[in-house]
Each structure stands twice: as C-alpha cells, then as structure tokens.
Amino acid sequence: MPRWKKILYALLAVAAAVAGGMYACSVIQKTDTCTEGIEAVERIDGECVGVDGAGYDFGTPEIRDVARAIADENKRIDNQPHVTVAMMLPLQSARPALRRQMRSDLQGAYLGQRQANEGEGEPPKIRLVLANPGRDYSHQDKVVDTLLRMADSSEHRLRAVTGFNLTLDTTEEAVRRLTEHRIPVLASRASGDDIANEDRADGMAKPRFPGLARIIPSNHDAAQALADFRREQGRENLKTVLVYDRRPDSYNQSLARAFNGIEETGPPGPAAMSFESPAIDEPGSTGNQFTQTANNICDSEADTIYFAGRTLHLRIFALKLAQVGCKDRHYTIVSGSDAASLRQSMTRKDWDQLRGEDGKAKVTVQYAAPAHPDAWNTELAAWTRQWARTHDREPTKAQLPQYLTEPKAALGTLKKRIDTTRREGIRLGSAPDLEDSRTMLVYDGLVTIGKALHQAQKGGAEAVPDREEVGRQWSLLQSRHRVPGTSGLICLTSGGNAYDKPTSIVELDPGPEGDGKLKFVGLGWPTGRPQPKNCVIPSSAP
C-alpha cells in the first residue's frame, strides 16, 4: 500500500476516534432532566432543581395535589392580565415531617394566590410558580439565574419572589442577587436578623437588600416579645441558661444573640453551654452532647433554658433533659420560630418521656410562634373582660382594638377560603393545619404581594407594573394601607420590616397522658406595647 494511503487512513482513524470521543462526552454531559418546567428542571446530586408552574411535584408525593391546584389556578387566569410570583423553598426531603411542612407552606401559597386573585378583584392576577433550590438552598444560584431571566421576559413578567423558609448563608446569597437586580423579595418565614434592612428613625439607612420585605418578626423582635410576655405574666425572676448550636447557621447565631440581649431581672444563671450539630436535619452526636449538658443544668439552679438551635436538635435536647430526671424539677425550654414544627416530629413515646410517672410534665417547650389560630379569639375575650371590669359595661364594636379585630377578620377570611376550596372539590393533599403557623404566614405573604401589585398598577388593566415600582410599595404598606394579616397587622417600615408585629407564645405541654397539646398562651409585643391605632409607625421607631 502506498505510503500516502497509510497516512490518510491513519488521519481518518484519528478523526473517527476524536469524533467518537466528542460524542461520548456529549452523552456523558447531557443534562439529566426531571421535567421540562419553565426551563429544564435538572437532576443535580439526586434532587430536581428548577422552576415549574405546571403542577410538577418535584418527586414529593405530599405536595402533588396542591401543586396541581396551583397549576389549575394558573390556567384559570392565563388569559387575564397577570404577572408571575415565584415561591422559592426546598421541595424534597427524605424526612416525612419536612415533607408535611412543605405541604403546609404550599397550601398557604395556593390559598393566598386565590385570595389575591379574587379578593381585590382587579388586575394583575398572580401566576404562581414553584422554585426548588435544593436542600439547604445549595443550588440557589442555578434557580436564581432562571428567575432573573423570567424577570426580564415579556412572557413571564416575574415581579416578586417569596418563600425563604430557612435563614442560611445560601438563602442570604439568593436574596442578595435577586434584590441587586431589583426583583422584589418578600420573606415570609426566614426570621434571622441577617436577612433584613436596617431601620433608622430618620428613614435614611441605605438598604442592604433593595426591595426586600419581611412579614415575620426577626429573632431579635421575637426575643423582646417573649420578654414582654414574661413581664405581663409576672415571670421575670427566672434563673435562665442559654444552650446554643456552634455550627455556623444564621438562624442559630442571631437567635443566640437575641436571647443574650434580653435584660434579665432575676438572679444570674449558669454560663452559656454550647453543642455542635452536623447539619439542620442531621442529629450527629448531639444526643451524647445533650446528656452532658442536661447533667450540668441539673446541677445548677436554672429552671428556664433558652435554646438557640433547630427543631430536630430541640426535640433531642428536650427528651434528654427529661431523661436525666433531676429530682422534683420542672424545666421550661424557650426557643424561636423554627420550633413551630416541633409537634409534627413528636411520637407517643416522646410525649411519655416528657412526663413523669405521676403524669406531671418534667419538661415543657415554649416558643415564639409567628402566628397561631387561637390568638385573636383568646386575646379579644381577655381584652373585653378587662375593659368591662373598668367600665361596668361591654365595649361597643367601635371600641374594640384594631390590632385584634382586623387579624381576627383576616383569619375568618382564610377559613372561608379553605371551606370554599373544599366545596369546590379541590384537593390540597390534606386539610390545612393552621396550628404550625406555616399556612397562615405564607398566605399572608401572597396577600401582601397582591396588595403591592394592585397599588403599583398604572396605565389601565393591560399595563404591567415594573418590578422596581412593586418593590417601592413595601414601605407604603402601613397606616391606611396596612395589610390585615391572619398573623397580625402588617405595617412595613422604610426598611421593609414588620413594625411591632405580635408574636404568639405557644407551649407544648405533654399533659397527664397520651399525646401532648399545643396551646396558645398569650401575645408578646416587641416594643412592649400593642401596635398604635391604624398602625401609624411613629417617627421615633428605629
């Protein structure tokens, strides 16, 4: 064979090998798609990450029905003037309790979407999409990239992002990027102090997150509300100790700072005690650490423990404290808003462990919940009794305080919305459970976004408000434009923070037998007093 042919065949063989290699690489690198979604929802590290508004459940059966209900509402308003709102939170977990929490969040989102679309009765309507950033928001960057494109798109017209159920560095990074691009963000459940704008009396503080609003009390405000409640109950002279998680976690860190900032009037308790967990939803060796911590607390005179940690570790700590069994001692553990999901994780064995053989509680857990369905009836009845004692007659309807009557009416509207949904045969996976506050808070968030959209609407029904105009509405939602939320009056400061938002003090009491009870025990106010008439924010407010 001539030499030139040998060279030609060799070159062809090399070319074929290169082409084959490139094909093999393209096959290997091909995106693993869970579903098409707004853009392809990709499988990354075993999770389906991306954005969808067509009823995809992200592999979580618990949210299947409510995801489809949201998709049906999206179809219903498709031919009407509308904008897109994204609900961003992790939507997959191996833990049943976390999957039930996701369902509660999305039930609130759907009910809020319906209320915003029908309650105001004016355009633009809300098309709701679900955005899954993965566990601990670890793939938030990819989801945020998609949301930025949706905000620029004339098809999607993304005008707000809500959700944000965890205070993490990754959550903060997602909020930072979204607000840098002037996409309004409303955080309904992230209570950490780091994801917030500063408030100053002169209103001149430059926002870290332009266009951010929060409707949940910060950890600092919740701690102050707890202190206010204790003063009202005459329970100031307690012997306290702080137990906190050393693992870097914005929620834990800000809650520990908030508890440290409470001015104690009782005798000093023992020094703060720490533990270290491996992750939000992993116990690691915390059980062994808590055994030693409980023994140390038992040897002290402390009767109240401030716990700055996540729900999973709070449950383990409470059980260990009861197991140590200090003779004739009862402990109260006080924690933050993350504890609102604790009851869902408790088993009959757990409840039995929290009570002694005599049926009396060894440990009760009290936490600052952002909402509770019993708050308004209970507080209004107590206010009325007190008023009648000092006036020798019942108050008229006009004399009842707005800060109680308006949230009560809002809760009534939510309950009617739930009944309407049931009568229409719309399945949400289960009947909404309002006691964990999730459905109430997320519902309030969508209603608040709906009001901001309607106030920003200009130029007729077909016009769509730009995203910066929507973000400018947050600080105007006060006084006459306050939002009566099921969780309390929502009146936002110049920094987009909820002013003097009440905290529901909720207690998990094991009771004498069976499953324990979750009960509302009172309201606490961050400023030490209820919100002013019409929720007019005073000029002296920080």
Side-chain angles (χ1 to χ4, degrees):
M1 178 183 297
R3 187 178 178 187
W4 66 269
K5 285 189 176 182
K6 292 181 181 180
I7 295 173
L8 176 61
Y9 290 149
L11 289 172
L12 290 173
V14 169
V18 170
M22 291 177 65
Y23 176 77
C25 286
S26 68
V27 170
I28 293 171
Q29 295 174 1
K30 185 178 180 181
T31 300
D32 186 357
T33 301
C34 299
T35 188
E36 288 306 313
I38 305 297
E39 297 181 2
V41 176
E42 298 180 27
R43 193 180 311 278
I44 305 174
D45 298 333
E47 295 185 284
C48 292
V49 175
V51 183
D52 180 83
Y56 181 57
D57 62 12
F58 292 88
T60 302
E62 284 83 350
I63 69 170
R64 184 168 299 149
D65 286 339
V66 67
R68 289 173 178 170
I70 290 170
D72 289 342
E73 176 64 7
N74 290 343
K75 290 178 184 176
R76 187 184 73 82
I77 58 97
D78 189 50
N79 293 324
Q80 303 177 53
H82 65 270
V83 298
T84 300
V85 173
M87 179 76 179
M88 185 172 180
L89 75 164
L91 291 172
Q92 291 175 277
S93 175
R95 292 179 56 209
L98 288 181
R99 296 197 299 270
R100 290 193 294 270
Q101 291 172 27
M102 296 168 193
R103 181 173 60 202
S104 291
D105 284 334
L106 295 191
Q107 288 173 340
Y110 168 75
L111 294 165
Q113 178 192 23
R114 285 286 303 271
Q115 185 61 29
N117 285 347
E118 299 176 21
E120 294 279 352
E122 299 175 1
K125 307 298 184 185
I126 291 176
R127 172 177 174 261
L128 190 63
V129 298
L130 308 183
N132 180 24
R135 178 187 176 189
D136 296 346
Y137 291 78
S138 57
H139 300 294
Q140 55 80 22
D141 53 343
K142 181 173 286 292
V143 171
V144 169
D145 285 343
T146 300
L147 296 177
L148 295 181
R149 288 190 287 271
M150 292 175 66
D152 291 333
S153 163
S154 59
E155 175 189 357
H156 296 294
R157 302 182 297 278
L158 179 74
R159 290 300 178 266
V161 182
T162 187
F164 301 105
N165 60 334
L166 295 172
T167 304
L168 301 167
D169 290 344
T170 45
T171 318
E172 183 175 343
E173 176 60 18
V175 172
R176 184 191 63 77
R177 282 192 64 206
L178 289 166
T179 54
E180 276 183 352
H181 288 82
R182 297 300 190 267
I183 297 176
V185 170
L186 186 140
S188 54
R189 292 206 54 87
S191 62
D193 297 89
D194 295 333
I195 306 177
N197 292 320
E198 179 188 0
D199 276 319
R200 286 188 355 196
D202 61 9
M204 299 301 290
K206 183 178 180 180
R208 291 179 60 213
F209 307 100
L212 170 66
R214 295 165 47 111
I215 64 169
I216 187 172
S218 66
N219 284 337
H220 172 270
D221 283 357
Q224 294 303 312
L226 280 163
D228 170 60
F229 173 75
R230 285 211 317 273
R231 284 191 295 269
E232 289 292 321
Q233 298 294 309
R235 299 172 60 189
E236 298 176 85
N237 296 320
L238 302 173
K239 297 175 183 177
T240 65
V241 61
L242 171 65
V243 174
Y244 66 97
D245 193 344
R246 288 196 308 271
R247 177 177 57 83
D249 181 304
S250 297
Y251 169 82
N252 296 339
Q253 291 165 342
S254 68
L255 187 58
R257 289 195 302 268
F259 283 148
N260 268 322
I262 294 177
E263 295 183 6
E264 299 286 359
T265 58
M273 304 179 191
S274 65
F275 67 96
E276 188 164 358
S277 67
I280 288 177
D281 54 358
E282 294 179 18
S285 65
T286 54
N288 292 333
Q289 296 176 64
F290 288 149
T291 298
Q292 300 171 53
T293 302
N295 283 325
N296 290 337
I297 292 173
C298 187
D299 290 342
S300 76
E301 295 183 351
D303 52 25
T304 302
I305 300 99
Y306 290 129
F307 187 88
R310 295 288 183 173
T311 299
L312 173 68
H313 311 116
L314 171 59
R315 171 182 166 272
I316 298 170
F317 175 70
L319 295 174
K320 284 293 181 181
L321 191 60
Q323 187 178 1
V324 168
C326 302
K327 186 177 180 180
D328 300 325
R329 298 279 293 278
H330 171 267
Y331 293 101
T332 299
I333 303 173
V334 178
S335 196
S337 61
D338 196 68
S341 304
L342 177 60
R343 187 188 184 191
Q344 295 184 6
S345 302
M346 297 291 288
T347 65
R348 176 64 62 86
K349 182 179 178 181
D350 293 340
W351 291 115
D352 289 341
Q353 192 167 324
L354 293 184
R355 65 175 73 93
E357 294 180 0
D358 58 0
K360 294 182 179 179
K362 292 190 280 187
V363 175
T364 56
V365 178
Q366 200 175 80
Y367 61 89
H372 193 278
D374 294 340
W376 312 118
N377 280 335
T378 304
E379 290 293 304
L380 198 53
W383 187 95
T384 301
R385 286 193 301 270
Q386 178 64 28
W387 198 94
R389 278 196 295 268
T390 57
H391 294 77
D392 294 325
R393 66 176 178 83
E394 292 291 312
T396 65
K397 186 176 180 180
Q399 289 170 323
L400 297 174
Q402 291 173 316
Y403 61 82
L404 297 177
T405 57
E406 291 185 4
K408 178 184 176 182
L411 180 61
T413 299
L414 170 57
K415 290 179 177 179
K416 288 179 184 177
R417 177 64 58 190
I418 293 172
D419 288 342
T420 299
T421 300
R422 178 180 50 79
R423 289 196 304 270
E424 291 174 346
I426 297 172
R427 298 170 59 184
L428 300 180
S430 69
D433 179 7
L434 303 183
E435 284 195 340
D436 70 356
S437 77
R438 290 179 175 272
T439 299
M440 292 173 66
L441 258 291
V442 177
Y443 170 88
D444 285 354
L446 266 293
V447 170
T448 302
I449 291 171
K451 184 156 189 173
L453 287 169
H454 293 300
Q455 290 193 172
Q457 178 76 356
K458 294 179 180 178
E462 297 300 322
V464 174
D466 65 59
R467 57 206 198 210
E468 290 190 47
E469 183 59 36
V470 176
R472 282 192 286 267
Q473 295 300 316
W474 298 143
S475 62
L476 302 177
L477 298 181
Q478 55 169 292
S479 188
R480 181 177 301 185
H481 301 292
R482 63 191 178 276
V483 179
T486 64
S487 57
L489 294 182
I490 297 167
C491 23
L492 300 180
T493 65
S494 59
N497 300 306
Y499 174 69
D500 199 23
K501 185 83 181 295
T503 290
S504 293
I505 314 303
V506 178
E507 189 170 272
L508 275 79
D509 187 349
E513 60 182 359
D515 288 344
K517 296 181 179 180
L518 178 67
K519 61 182 181 180
F520 169 80
V521 294
L523 282 183
W525 301 90
T527 65
R529 66 185 70 86
Q531 292 160 314
K533 185 177 180 181
N534 293 334
C535 212
V536 176
I537 300 174
S539 60
S540 58

